[in-house]
Amino acid sequence: METFGRWFEDFSVNEKIIHTKTKKITDKDSREFCFITENHHPLHTNEAYAKNTQHGKRVVAGTHVLSLAVGLTVADISGKAIANLNYTDVEHQYPTYINDVISVETTIISKRDSKSKKDRGIVLVKTNAFNQKNQKILTFTRKILIPKKEI
């Protein structure tokens, strides 16, 4: 029996999914993400620089947090996806720091059949990410193209 991801029929509007997987963002994770993405802003890469900012320490790149939050939802949301169609309304509510532990929850906003192909549908979800203090650090919505189990 497949348990990775969901079929279109398995989503219920207003359903809230608390994703069980979490991730601690290590110094190595943060530095590698900045290296891979060419984001060399000193707020993310230079401790001495960051110490003299309002944060007093390095901040994890927002796109790193977004990518991680999406990744933590894959097993429950988009594991069977044909494609992620878009990401909208990305909001960073609180900074994320090295050694923060990220958790996520997702609410199913809507779903509809595809207009062009009857073997799939589009699911709109809103995801919230939190740190270990349960502070909301990020929200975003995305549309996902999901296959149907039965046609």
Side-chain angles (χ1 to χ4, degrees):
M1 177 178 198
E2 290 184 27
T3 59
F4 193 76
R6 294 177 174 204
W7 300 102
F8 178 77
E9 295 89 342
D10 298 332
F11 289 93
S12 299
V13 174
N14 296 322
E15 175 185 10
K16 185 183 216 177
I17 301 163
I18 308 295
H19 305 282
T20 57
K21 191 170 186 177
T22 63
K23 172 72 169 127
K24 180 178 182 178
I25 301 177
T26 66
D27 178 68
K28 181 181 178 197
D29 292 337
S30 182
R31 289 184 186 280
E32 286 180 352
F33 185 88
C34 288
F35 176 77
I36 289 167
T37 60
E38 295 292 332
N39 182 346
H40 302 296
H41 191 292
L43 183 60
H44 307 310
T45 61
N46 185 309
E47 195 68 48
Y49 174 89
K51 187 175 183 179
N52 293 312
T53 68
Q54 69 184 33
H55 303 287
K57 56 186 173 180
R58 284 180 29 233
V59 175
V60 175
T63 49
H64 185 172
V65 180
L66 175 62
S67 294
L68 180 57
V70 170
L72 290 171
T73 71
V74 170
D76 301 318
I77 301 293
S78 57
K80 291 189 182 347
I82 297 165
N84 285 301
L85 300 176
N86 72 14
Y87 297 85
T88 61
D89 305 316
V90 178
E91 296 182 23
H92 299 274
Q93 283 96 1
Y94 197 82
T96 302
Y97 302 105
I98 306 301
N99 294 320
D100 277 357
V101 177
I102 308 307
S103 61
V104 290
E105 66 181 31
T106 300
T107 302
I108 311 307
I109 304 299
S110 65
K111 62 185 262 189
R112 68 169 178 81
D113 293 329
S114 169
K115 294 176 182 170
S116 59
K117 296 184 180 179
K118 65 180 183 174
D119 67 337
R120 60 197 67 184
I122 297 171
V123 179
L124 176 67
V125 302
K126 180 174 183 176
T127 299
N128 298 311
F130 302 89
N131 64 18
Q132 70 281 358
K133 297 176 185 174
N134 206 34
Q135 295 167 314
K136 189 186 296 184
I137 56 174
L138 171 75
T139 62
F140 62 94
T141 58
R142 68 179 166 143
K143 284 183 183 176
I144 312 156
L145 187 60
I146 307 282
K148 292 183 178 179
K149 187 186 302 186
E150 298 178 24
I151 301 174

